[in-house]
Amino acid sequence: MQEVSTWIYLDTNVYSRPFDDQQQPQIQEEANAFLELITAVKGGRLKIVGSDILEFEVQNILRAEKRTKLKAYFELCTQHVENSAELLALGKQ
């Protein structure tokens, strides 16, 4: 298998798309795109970067079922970015 060179970082909203109202065509398209990305990750064509911030946001999701499913997607992350003062300063710029 060839080495993966593409890393992606997905916002919490992207992870949540499959759980949003699928009757809206744009949301359904975005949910399908997310699931295609997950398929590419499982197939080794992409890698996902996770972060402390994402984990914090997911911990604050009220619906337990949705929170549990999003945590399962995080298990696909192979790289993790820890929160730091330097990172927060970069984000403020």
Side-chain angles (χ1 to χ4, degrees):
M1 176 161 56
Q2 80 182 50
E3 185 176 324
V4 174
S5 60
T6 304
W7 292 81
I8 58 174
Y9 181 88
L10 303 171
D11 185 279
T12 308
N13 292 330
V14 176
Y15 285 100
S16 297
R17 263 315 184 220
F19 308 102
D20 293 336
D21 180 7
Q22 299 297 306
Q23 293 183 20
Q24 297 180 36
Q26 181 177 345
I27 291 175
Q28 189 175 37
E29 288 175 21
E30 291 170 357
N32 289 338
F34 169 73
L35 295 173
E36 286 181 32
L37 290 172
I38 293 301
T39 298
V41 169
K42 289 179 178 179
R45 296 185 306 277
L46 295 173
K47 289 189 177 184
I48 299 179
V49 177
S51 72
D52 288 343
I53 301 298
L54 281 174
E55 288 180 9
F56 173 79
E57 290 175 347
V58 170
Q59 288 296 338
N60 288 293
I61 293 174
L62 297 177
R63 284 186 21 220
E65 179 183 353
K66 180 178 178 180
R67 186 173 55 246
T68 299
K69 289 182 180 180
L70 265 64
K71 285 180 182 181
Y73 287 129
F74 287 166
E75 291 177 9
L76 298 171
C77 296
T78 53
Q79 184 76 13
H80 186 86
V81 177
E82 292 184 10
N83 195 14
S84 68
E86 180 182 358
L87 186 61
L88 291 174
L90 181 62
K92 288 179 181 180
Q93 288 179 344

